[in-house]
């Protein structure tokens, strides 16, 4: 076993993402296990064509379909898509209505395909903010795909990393105050177990499209050791070749998790 892949002990091992070991390249053990995508550029795609933004989001939903299939084909086990941020509620009411309507329609029309293709859907974020009809559609889609083992698909809606961390901190504070949790025993694993991604591996690769280079409140805690790939393509144009390019770039990276690799 090389120094680069030797398991760690002590504090360094505790701080690593679950299942991670320092490696020379990101692909020694296969493709990234978990990819997160910030899908950006629907609006610019639409305005470049003189179309309403709603049609950009509709084309974005087609790219979602292509990317899920491409991820499953590439052997990726987890895919988290940032579909609606906590901040997106501040967009004009008409756009919020278009986006939420599109997501609800997508959930209903795609659930059969997802289930057949072995794709397990989970929604993370504050789903209650979308109202009873959407909450019900989400629960039905999650239940219908719960047997899927080919790809775990998370769709982040009304999601914000800071709000998620704050909610976990409050939950822990309440338990400590109630005497059911010992503050001294709160470690990384305990904390991560109170996030909406509890039990899931951290993302290895985070992709953002459209040329913007920001994290925008996406998976703040979970992205601690992720590799970032920024692609100059508007989300509605995203396809299997773009995903393959991002994975190839990830494979060229040297992941060290803060350690020195000899
Ligand atoms: C960013 O583009 C994209 C979004 C805010 C929404 C993402 C939604 C989809 C891809 C479609 C529906 C999703 C699912 C899961 C079916 P933007 O509007 O910020 O684009 P701009 O920066 O060019 O204005």
């Amino acid at each position: 076993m090389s120094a680069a892949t030797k398991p760690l002990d002590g504090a360094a091992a505790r701080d690593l993402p679950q299942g991670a070991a320092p490696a020379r390249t990101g692909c020694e053990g296969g493709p990234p296990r978990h990819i997160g995508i910030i899908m950006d550029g629907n609006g610019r795609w639409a305005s470049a064509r003189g179309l309403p933004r709603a049609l950009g989001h509709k084309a974005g939903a087609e790219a979602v379909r292509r990317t899920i299939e491409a991820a499953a084909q590439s052997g990726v086990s987890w895919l988290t898509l940032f579909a609606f941020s906590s901040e997106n509620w501040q967009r004009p009411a008409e756009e919020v209505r278009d986006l939420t309507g599109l997501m609800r329609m997508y959930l209903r029309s795609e659930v059969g395909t997802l289930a057949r293709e072995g794709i397990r859907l989970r929604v993370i974020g504050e789903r209650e903010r979308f109202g009873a009809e959407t909450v019900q559609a989400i629960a039905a889609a999650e239940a219908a795909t719960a047997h899927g083992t080919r790809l775990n698909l998370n769709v982040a809606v009304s999601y914000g990393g800071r709000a998620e961390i704050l909610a976990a901190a409050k939950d822990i504070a309440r338990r400590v105050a109630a005497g059911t949790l010992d503050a001294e025993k709160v470690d990384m694993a305990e904390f991560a177990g109170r996030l909406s991604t509890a039990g899931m591996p951290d993302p290895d690769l985070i992709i953002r499209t459209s040329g913007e280079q920001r994290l925008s409140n996406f998976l703040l805690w979970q992205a601690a050791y992720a590799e970032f790939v920024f692609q100059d393509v508007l989300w509605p144009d995203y396809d299997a070749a773009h995903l393959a390019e991002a994975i190839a770039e990830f494979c060229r990276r040297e992941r060290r998790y803060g350690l020195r690799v000899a």
Side-chain angles (χ1 to χ4, degrees), residues 38-47 53-54 56-65 68 81-85 88 91 95 98-100 102-107 110 121 153-157 208-210 212 214 234-236:
I38 303 170
M39 308 181 289
D40 198 8
N42 293 351
R44 276 163 282 169
W45 184 92
S47 59
R53 292 178 65 85
H57 295 314
K58 190 156 175 268
E62 293 301 323
V64 165
R65 267 190 205 104
I68 293 170
L81 300 177
F82 201 6
F84 194 96
S85 74
N88 286 156
R91 291 196 176 191
E95 184 172 356
D98 287 343
L99 259 173
T100 54
L102 182 65
M103 287 190 294
R104 213 168 34 237
M105 207 166 73
Y106 180 91
L107 281 174
E110 291 303 301
L121 172 85
L153 169 67
N154 295 327
V155 179
V157 298
R208 183 172 188 145
T209 60
S210 90
E212 306 287 345
R214 285 186 295 281
L234 300 175
W235 177 252

Side-chain angles (χ1 to χ4, degrees), residues 69-121:
E69 188 46 38
Q73 297 273 3
S74 312
V76 169
S77 304
W78 292 83
L79 177 68
T80 300
L81 300 177
F82 201 6
F84 194 96
S85 74
S86 317
E87 292 72 33
N88 286 156
W89 289 110
Q90 285 147 37
R91 291 196 176 191
E94 191 191 338
E95 184 172 356
V96 170
R97 224 176 13 251
D98 287 343
L99 259 173
T100 54
L102 182 65
M103 287 190 294
R104 213 168 34 237
M105 207 166 73
Y106 180 91
L107 281 174
R108 290 186 178 134
S109 68
E110 291 303 301
V111 65
T113 309
L114 295 175
R116 255 193 322 279
E117 297 287 327
I119 294 160
R120 178 170 189 176
L121 172 85

Side-chain angles (χ1 to χ4, degrees), residues 179-241:
T180 56
L181 186 63
D182 179 352
E184 296 310 316
K185 295 214 170 92
V186 178
D187 58 10
M188 303 282 182
E190 175 71 40
F191 198 90
R194 314 233 168 242
L195 300 173
S196 62
T197 50
M200 304 177 188
D202 285 341
D204 303 294
L205 167 63
I206 291 189
I207 297 168
R208 183 172 188 145
T209 60
S210 90
E212 306 287 345
Q213 303 193 355
R214 285 186 295 281
L215 193 48
S216 298
N217 210 8
F218 182 52
L219 300 179
L220 292 184
W221 169 281
Q222 300 86 340
Y225 289 98
E227 295 293 327
F228 290 82
V229 171
F230 301 105
Q231 293 180 288
D232 206 358
V233 51
L234 300 175
W235 177 252
D237 291 326
Y238 207 77
D239 63 17

Side-chain angles (χ1 to χ4, degrees), residues 17-51:
Q18 221 184 328
R24 283 189 178 281
T25 73
C27 284
E28 276 177 355
R33 184 152 66 131
H34 185 173
I35 299 181
I37 307 186
I38 303 170
M39 308 181 289
D40 198 8
N42 293 351
R44 276 163 282 169
W45 184 92
S47 59
R49 287 161 179 75
L51 298 171

